[in-house]
Amino acid sequence: MFDKFLSEFISGIPVVIANEDDISDYTKKSCEKLCRMLRISRFSAKLQTYTSPFTWDLGTGSVEYFSGGEKAVRKPFSYSSDSGLPAGPDIFNFYPGEGVSLSLAEQEQLGIFVKILGTEYRDFRVRKAMSEMPLIDIMTGVPNTTGIRFLGMMLAQHGVLNKYTLIFMNLANFSYTNQMIGGREGDLFLGKFANALTELVGEDEYVTRPGGDNFCILLKDENVDTFLRKASRIVIPVDIRGVHQGMDAPFRAGVYSLKKADSLYDAMDRASVGLFMARRSNSKNVVRYSPRMKDVMSRQKQISVMFPRALGEEEFVVYYQPKVDSRTGKVVGAEALVRWITEGRMMSPVDFIPVLESEGSVCALDFFVFRKVCEDIRHWLDCNLKPVPVSVNFSKIHLHNPDLTKDINSVMKNNKIPSRYLEIELTESSGYEDFDALVKLINTMKKKGVRTSIDDFGTGYSSLSLLKNIKSDIVKLDKSFIDSIDTSDGADNIVLSSVVSMANKLNMEIIAEGVETKEQAEFLSSIGCYLIQGYLFERPVPAEKFQKYIETDFAFEI
């Protein structure tokens, strides 16, 4: 009789089992028949639940099946079967009726049944996992881009998508983190970060990874603020050259709360706009999307369209802001700054530089400025003037150009400019984006006699590490350091003093930008920072006016 039952059970499996409900119903139905056959009063199965981001109701524990019957004895015949999951085996318990004693043959029959049933459960889980593999990001185990779309479709079908908020998140300076801890540890970092985010979301909320160091999180509206607050405190354990330590995981994010008519595509598009704004902001790491941002994006597209013509017609003009030695008031250098004069008005670099940088066309502008600076220096030399060194800003995007140093040298050579009159200036964040390329550029420029400067120093997450590892000639303190001097409670002044002291000991020239008051200049001088750039002395001026300073050996009043 058992053989016939087993044969019917096995032959029925591929016919009736298509999903979780089917396998549950078939198990219960088969077990009830087996229990009647062997006088088992009660059967329970503790099954490790298959969990998946794509299952609407995620199981968190075990499930049980019961068959009715007479009063059962307390001690069951218990069998286990490999579940195929880290949580452990499936456990099957059979409780004979009171006074019923199972023979060894009957116990063996139960064991055979459990083995087949357990194997089917395991195979079902494998098939389920395999079917979802195209939806899962292998590195982190969370849904990928295809998985995000599937989730959006699932939530829309249940009529609840408009109750969700989408957070588009990007790890800040992850390229630098990856270089610091190594590629393998960097991959593990992403996986650990995904796990940490997953632990912060609730039931029916999802963490996904569309690619790179980007993550999309679907949260119920009421949980967004709590999630963001907790996510900002995530610390990831890493292993750096055998040393275990915790590393912060700073991020920037765009946030969009879905409305009734919105699709997931709408949400991702608008949240990505918020992320773009967050990356441009100096003060906000998280930006909620607003319709006004569409106007900003429209203006940015207009700038992109206008740029090629404006560059060809030379609407861009180079201004020079003096660098002053606070001990003498003498002009000892300058920074070249670009202005865009179009339709009778001057456009601020704040409006167009980020746009051009985001699309890569800023590289053409940088070399336009560099050529104009070289032409101006050539003109001053031809007028028998003694130029001061001029620093020219180069976007970090240039670091991806393998011929950068060759291109810089070519412009200098065409204008016959001695290398001592030029400085190449890059932002501190360049080191985070491509550390090796930055080091290579600095070393190559040194060999050619061109000095390099790290701009906006102090805005990054590992500034002191950069100070030690990047042997630039000049360090330019970020304006945020300077702004804190007048209002500082003492701590900021101590940090600033320490940075200046270390730079001096490392034989780096240090300059403070954005100096606006005499008190700031006096404090900087007292801690050993004598080179000043800022409105205290002069705003950026056209080349003709700056030429007057070097013609007359001008000195500002101290």
Side-chain angles (χ1 to χ4, degrees):
M1 184 179 291
F2 176 76
D3 292 342
K4 183 181 178 183
F5 160 79
L6 199 58
S7 176
E8 291 175 354
F9 171 74
I10 293 171
S11 62
I13 287 173
V15 177
V16 299
I17 296 179
N19 54 46
E20 288 91 339
D21 291 338
D22 288 342
I23 198 169
S24 297
D25 291 343
Y26 192 65
T27 298
K28 184 175 180 181
K29 180 180 176 182
S30 301
C31 287
E32 285 178 348
K33 187 173 182 180
L34 179 65
C35 287
R36 286 196 300 272
M37 186 187 308
L38 298 178
R39 295 160 296 156
I40 302 294
S41 293
R42 178 173 171 244
F43 160 78
S44 69
K46 294 202 169 191
L47 305 170
Q48 300 302 327
T49 308
Y50 174 81
T51 59
S52 160
F54 307 102
T55 302
W56 178 248
D57 293 311
L58 293 181
T60 55
S62 61
V63 292
E64 294 190 350
Y65 303 97
F66 300 92
S67 64
E70 300 174 359
K71 187 175 180 182
V73 297
R74 291 184 179 180
K75 188 175 180 181
F77 290 97
S78 189
Y79 301 85
S80 66
S81 177
D82 180 18
S83 68
L85 297 174
D90 296 323
I91 305 296
F92 300 86
N93 294 314
F94 297 88
Y95 298 82
E98 198 168 21
V100 174
S101 178
L102 295 183
S103 67
L104 288 177
E106 289 173 325
Q107 292 177 41
E108 286 178 3
Q109 290 172 346
L110 283 177
I112 292 170
F113 172 73
V114 165
K115 193 169 184 179
I116 295 171
L117 184 59
T119 299
E120 177 56 33
Y121 269 102
R122 187 179 65 237
D123 290 350
F124 175 79
R125 293 177 185 122
V126 170
R127 291 195 302 273
K128 186 75 172 173
M130 290 291 287
S131 71
E132 292 180 357
M133 276 187 68
L135 308 176
I136 295 292
D137 172 55
I138 301 300
M139 186 180 295
T140 61
V142 299
N144 56 21
T145 303
T146 306
I148 297 169
R149 294 170 184 160
F150 185 94
L151 289 169
M153 181 175 64
M154 183 178 73
L155 293 170
Q157 286 176 348
H158 283 81
V160 295
L161 185 59
N162 64 312
K163 296 179 181 178
Y164 280 78
T165 292
L166 188 137
I167 299 175
F168 204 128
M169 180 183 292
N170 172 260
L171 282 168
N173 300 319
F174 181 71
S175 295
Y176 178 71
T177 300
N178 206 30
Q179 290 165 358
M180 221 170 71
I181 65 180
R184 181 179 178 279
E185 194 69 30
D187 291 346
L188 293 174
F189 187 100
L190 290 173
K192 291 173 184 177
F193 184 67
N195 289 340
L197 293 177
T198 302
E199 289 178 4
L200 298 181
V201 302
E203 188 176 349
D204 302 334
E205 294 180 330
Y206 310 97
V207 175
T208 70
R209 178 180 177 241
D213 53 2
N214 297 312
F215 292 85
C216 283
I217 299 93
L218 276 165
L219 294 169
K220 294 172 183 174
D221 293 339
E222 62 271 19
N223 297 332
V224 173
D225 291 339
T226 300
F227 172 85
L228 287 170
R229 185 175 64 254
K230 290 181 177 179
S232 67
R233 300 172 187 160
I234 289 175
V235 176
I236 302 299
V238 295
D239 190 334
I240 304 177
R241 291 179 289 277
V243 178
H244 301 286
Q245 61 188 72
M247 182 174 282
D248 292 338
F251 60 83
R252 298 184 184 91
V255 180
Y256 178 71
S257 297
L258 285 96
K259 308 296 185 295
K260 251 189 177 178
D262 290 334
S263 67
L264 189 68
Y265 293 99
D266 296 327
M268 291 183 71
D269 179 59
R270 290 164 190 171
S272 67
V273 171
L275 173 60
F276 177 79
M277 295 298 178
R279 297 179 79 162
R280 283 189 56 187
S281 173
N282 292 322
S283 58
K284 291 183 177 181
N285 290 328
V286 177
V287 173
R288 287 182 176 270
Y289 172 85
S290 70
R292 183 186 61 81
M293 292 178 185
K294 285 187 176 180
D295 297 333
V296 175
M297 296 293 283
S298 176
R299 177 58 179 160
Q300 290 172 348
K301 287 179 182 178
Q302 185 182 13
I303 288 170
S304 298
V305 171
M306 292 168 59
F307 173 71
R309 177 197 56 77
L311 189 66
E313 296 180 7
E314 297 195 2
E315 290 185 355
F316 295 95
V317 179
V318 177
Y319 277 48
Y320 296 87
Q321 186 171 35
K323 297 176 182 178
V324 179
D325 188 328
S326 62
R327 294 166 292 190
T328 64
K330 292 286 186 72
V331 177
V332 294
E335 180 181 3
L337 299 163
V338 68
R339 299 293 183 263
W340 186 352
I341 300 174
T342 182
E343 298 175 354
R345 69 180 187 89
M346 183 181 290
M347 190 188 306
S348 169
V350 175
D351 294 330
F352 64 85
I353 292 292
V355 178
L356 300 180
E357 189 157 39
S358 68
E359 61 183 29
S361 53
V362 73
C363 295
L365 179 60
D366 288 344
F367 267 101
F368 173 86
V369 172
F370 188 59
R371 283 191 294 271
K372 287 297 179 184
V373 168
C374 287
E375 290 170 8
D376 286 340
I377 293 175
R378 182 70 263 159
H379 170 71
W380 295 331
L381 289 168
D382 291 343
C383 292
N384 294 318
L385 299 175
K386 187 179 179 181
V388 293
V390 178
S391 61
V392 182
N393 290 285
F394 276 77
S395 167
K396 58 193 174 188
I397 299 173
H398 288 283
L399 295 176
H400 300 294
N401 174 12
D403 297 322
L404 176 59
T405 54
K406 191 184 299 182
D407 294 340
I408 290 172
N409 193 54
S410 176
V411 176
M412 291 169 54
K413 191 175 180 180
N414 290 340
N415 289 277
K416 300 178 182 177
I417 305 298
S419 58
R420 64 180 177 276
Y421 293 126
L422 288 165
E423 296 170 5
I424 303 300
E425 191 167 302
L426 295 109
T427 63
E428 180 187 348
S429 63
S430 302
Y432 302 120
E433 298 295 330
D434 199 331
F435 179 84
D436 292 336
L438 179 60
V439 170
K440 183 179 178 182
L441 171 65
I442 289 172
N443 292 339
T444 306
M445 289 291 99
K446 276 183 185 291
K447 291 176 183 177
K448 296 183 180 297
V450 179
R451 301 203 304 168
T452 54
S453 173
I454 300 298
D455 193 13
D456 299 335
F457 184 82
T459 58
Y461 293 94
S462 301
S463 298
L464 297 182
S465 175
L466 285 177
L467 197 63
K468 180 185 72 168
N469 295 321
I470 297 181
K471 308 299 183 183
S472 66
D473 302 287
I474 305 159
V475 169
K476 183 179 280 190
L477 296 173
D478 184 65
K479 189 176 184 299
S480 60
F481 268 131
I482 313 308
D483 291 341
S484 69
I485 290 174
D486 290 344
T487 59
S488 174
D489 60 0
D492 287 337
N493 287 356
I494 292 170
V495 171
L496 180 55
S497 178
S498 299
V499 170
V500 171
S501 175
M502 282 188 288
N504 285 330
K505 288 177 181 177
L506 290 168
N507 295 318
M508 291 179 173
E509 193 173 281
I510 191 157
I511 182 169
E513 65 178 340
V515 178
E516 298 179 357
T517 69
K518 188 175 181 180
E519 291 75 20
Q520 290 173 342
E522 288 174 348
F523 176 78
L524 288 164
S525 181
S526 73
I527 63 174
C529 178
Y530 303 108
L531 298 185
I532 302 295
Q533 180 183 339
Y535 290 177
L536 173 64
F537 294 116
E538 183 62 280
R539 293 172 178 268
V541 296
E544 297 78 14
K545 183 173 181 179
F546 183 76
Q547 181 175 323
K548 301 291 184 185
Y549 291 133
I550 57 177
E551 278 179 342
T552 59
D553 197 25
F554 183 85
F556 288 95
E557 184 179 344
I558 303 300

